[in-house]
Amino acid sequence: MRTSRATLVGGVVGALVVVEFTSGVLQGYYTPLFTDVARHLGIQDADINWFEAAQLLLSAIVVPFMARLGDMFGHRKILIFSLVVTLVASIGVAFAPTFPIFIAAWALQGFYVVWLPMNISIIFLRARDRPNSAALTRKGAGLIVVALQAGAIIGALAGGQLGTIFEGRLWLTLSVPAVLVAVALLVVIFKVPDPGVRAGGKVDSRGTVVLSLALLAITGGLSLVRLHGVTAWVFGMVLLGIFLLWVFVRVEQRSADPLIDIAMFKRPELWPVFLTSALFGVSVLGAQGPLSTFARTDPGEVGYGLGANSATASYLIGGYVMSLLVGAGLFAQVSRSLTPRKVLIGASALVATGYFALIPFHDSFGQVLGCMIVAGVGSGALVAALPAAAAAAAPPHQTGVATGLTNTTKVIGGSFASSAFALALAGGAVVTTSGAESTAGSLSGYIAVWAICGGTAVVATIFLFAVPKVAFMSPPIGDVDGLPAADAGGAVAPDAHPREG
């Protein structure tokens, strides 16, 4: 058993660590360079918000579709395809001469969101024939998420330093991520074998179109909140998106090869995971901007904030991301002592505790850092636990869709949160101690942000108690929802789901 575990972790997982490290670099590298990018493209700083909006829109749309294709045609093939798209887009980001071209390349670079669900699906399918398959999946998920968070930290530091070293040559600074993506692509091609499992079926074109329109309407409507506040257009687009989601459910229930098997949302071990992912997206995707701006707010002017400069604020954000890394690293180890269900509940409770603690304890750098570390440990565990739990609970031929849904629901939750938080921080006039109007967010808005993050984590914790106590444990080999047992060489009976020869 030790040999098989070492082979899995040291081989496939070791290669996928490179992929997720690169994903982390992509997510952290550009942040210190946004001002330089804005000046290069001749745009206002406020236009940078379109970067996040564009990638959120694309990731919400492509993940369900690409996850389904992964189950149908092979997760490794879809991983390679998404790496190629990201590589081309990263080159485009480095050399884009105009804002429209840059924003198009930036949106396409968001294909990296496909990597994590594909990677965890590959790990799970490689380990599925072993008695401890769920434990191996959790261990592999923990390792690659640690690599993801480490990449985010190193990426942020490297982006800032290289931006200074290569000052005046922005194209050279922006080319570094493209090189890393190329390395990750080669590693997957030469070091990651195809697990071989295929679900077969056809592409659900009607479901894909309806779901894409629904997510586009919802996330697009929420993006308008940042520009014009809550308007009739916002309500109209969100309501249209919700209606289209209802239509999507009806279409999928009648489809022989649905994009998303709606029955998965009825499984008692899966629907709380998807709901938790959406609620978790509120804090992990929506609360980081407010954290940064609160740290930079001068208490001498408005009576609250930490008055940090950019360097000090980076230590706060770095401490939070480091705690995410720790939480992801501890996830697999703690799961061996406790059930995965208990780990999910405990991680959600930590997120709630950290954010609720910020309401009374936000007067000093140490207080805020301590609260964010508590929330970060829980968040890191959830980043690793949710897709691993979905993979363990889903039918083997739908692991890609299940893990992808944890990402999609998280993005939707983050979209709702970012818009709601923008409104909360803008509410209430803020004046300086001298009586002048301030551009800082209101203290009541920050308290609302922390209360919402804590409250959604509490709701997630409550719903996770509905998960069966034995959920996410390793099933008997070959006895998962009727999937035939594998022989010693990994082959299955001819009537099994199609496999690549």
Side-chain angles (χ1 to χ4, degrees):
M1 186 59 63
R2 285 185 178 180
T3 301
S4 64
R5 176 177 296 184
T7 300
L8 179 68
V9 173
V12 172
V13 176
L16 298 181
V17 159
V18 176
V19 177
E20 286 306 319
F21 176 82
T22 303
S23 175
V25 171
L26 290 176
Q27 296 176 53
Y29 185 86
Y30 297 99
T31 303
L33 303 171
F34 278 159
T35 299
D36 299 322
V37 171
R39 299 294 81 80
H40 171 69
L41 297 174
I43 61 175
Q44 301 294 321
D45 288 346
D47 292 330
I48 292 174
N49 288 329
W50 286 107
F51 297 174
E52 179 187 4
Q55 281 200 352
L56 281 175
L57 282 171
L58 182 134
S59 61
I61 291 171
V62 303
V63 170
F65 180 63
M66 299 301 290
R68 173 60 177 157
L69 291 182
D71 288 336
M72 290 176 58
F73 303 117
H75 303 99
R76 177 179 177 272
K77 288 182 179 179
I78 299 304
L79 176 60
I80 290 175
F81 174 78
S82 62
L83 279 161
V84 171
V85 173
T86 306
L87 174 59
V88 173
S90 298
I91 295 173
V93 166
F95 295 97
T98 64
F99 177 63
I101 296 176
F102 183 92
I103 203 72
W106 183 268
L108 287 174
Q109 194 184 49
F111 262 76
Y112 69 76
V113 299
V114 178
W115 300 352
L116 183 61
M118 291 301 100
N119 288 341
I120 292 180
S121 295
I122 290 171
I123 293 171
F124 178 76
L125 292 174
R126 289 279 296 176
R128 77 190 191 285
D129 293 336
R130 301 174 186 178
N132 60 339
S133 60
L136 286 174
T137 302
R138 291 193 296 270
K139 182 180 179 65
L143 287 173
I144 65 175
V145 171
V146 165
L148 171 67
Q149 303 303 335
I153 296 172
I154 294 174
L157 295 174
Q161 294 298 318
L162 292 177
T164 301
I165 295 173
F166 300 141
E167 187 174 2
R169 292 175 289 175
L170 184 62
W171 65 270
L172 183 58
T173 305
L174 297 181
S175 297
V176 173
V179 175
L180 293 179
V181 176
V183 171
L185 174 61
L186 293 175
V187 168
V188 172
I189 291 174
F190 293 108
K191 295 295 183 180
V192 178
D194 195 323
V197 174
R198 301 288 188 273
K202 301 178 180 178
V203 175
D204 180 13
S205 57
R206 287 190 303 172
T208 299
V209 171
V210 175
L211 180 61
S212 298
L213 291 175
L215 295 176
L216 184 64
I218 293 175
T219 54
L222 292 172
S223 296
L224 291 178
V225 174
R226 303 174 186 174
L227 299 177
H228 307 294
V230 178
T231 64
W233 276 106
V234 172
F235 277 113
M237 291 186 67
V238 172
L239 289 176
L240 174 62
I242 293 173
F243 171 74
L244 288 174
L245 284 178
W246 176 80
V247 173
F248 172 74
V249 171
R250 299 296 298 270
V251 169
E252 295 302 274
Q253 288 175 334
R254 298 174 182 175
S255 175
D257 292 296
L259 176 68
I260 297 174
D261 186 357
I262 303 300
M264 284 198 298
F265 287 90
K266 300 178 181 179
R267 295 172 71 102
E269 67 274 33
L270 274 178
W271 71 259
V273 172
F274 297 145
L275 180 59
T276 298
S277 295
L279 296 170
F280 175 50
V282 170
S283 61
V284 76
L285 295 180
Q288 305 321 304
L291 171 65
S292 178
T293 56
F294 181 82
R296 298 295 301 273
T297 301
D298 187 356
E301 290 187 358
V302 295
Y304 55 88
L306 302 181
N309 57 27
S310 58
T312 305
S314 70
Y315 300 148
L316 176 63
I317 296 173
Y320 169 69
V321 177
M322 183 64 71
S323 66
L324 285 168
L325 189 152
V326 172
L330 291 175
F331 159 63
Q333 298 179 15
V334 176
S335 294
R336 287 200 292 268
S337 301
L338 304 174
T339 64
R341 171 179 173 271
K342 290 181 179 178
V343 173
L344 283 167
I345 292 172
S348 294
L350 282 176
V351 175
T353 300
Y355 279 105
F356 277 139
L358 276 172
I359 296 176
F361 302 114
H362 57 260
D363 296 327
S364 68
F365 181 89
Q367 288 180 348
V368 174
L369 179 60
C371 294
M372 292 310 301
I373 287 176
V374 173
V377 171
S379 296
L382 285 175
V383 169
L386 289 170
H397 58 288
Q398 292 183 318
T399 54
V401 170
T403 53
L405 280 173
T406 63
N407 200 315
T408 299
T409 51
K410 182 171 66 177
V411 167
I412 293 175
S415 297
F416 272 99
S418 61
S419 299
F421 293 168
L423 292 176
L425 293 175
V430 179
V431 296
T432 65
T433 53
S434 62
E437 185 176 350
S438 172
T439 58
S442 64
L443 179 59
S444 61
Y446 284 112
I447 292 176
V449 169
W450 301 328
I452 291 171
C453 290
T456 51
V458 168
V459 173
T461 304
I462 293 172
F463 278 114
L464 285 169
F465 276 101
V467 175
K469 294 182 178 180
V470 296
F472 320 130
M473 306 298 286
S474 298
I477 299 177
D479 191 27
V480 185
D481 287 351
L483 186 71
D487 61 23
V492 295
D495 60 345
H497 295 288
R499 297 168 62 99
E500 184 175 64

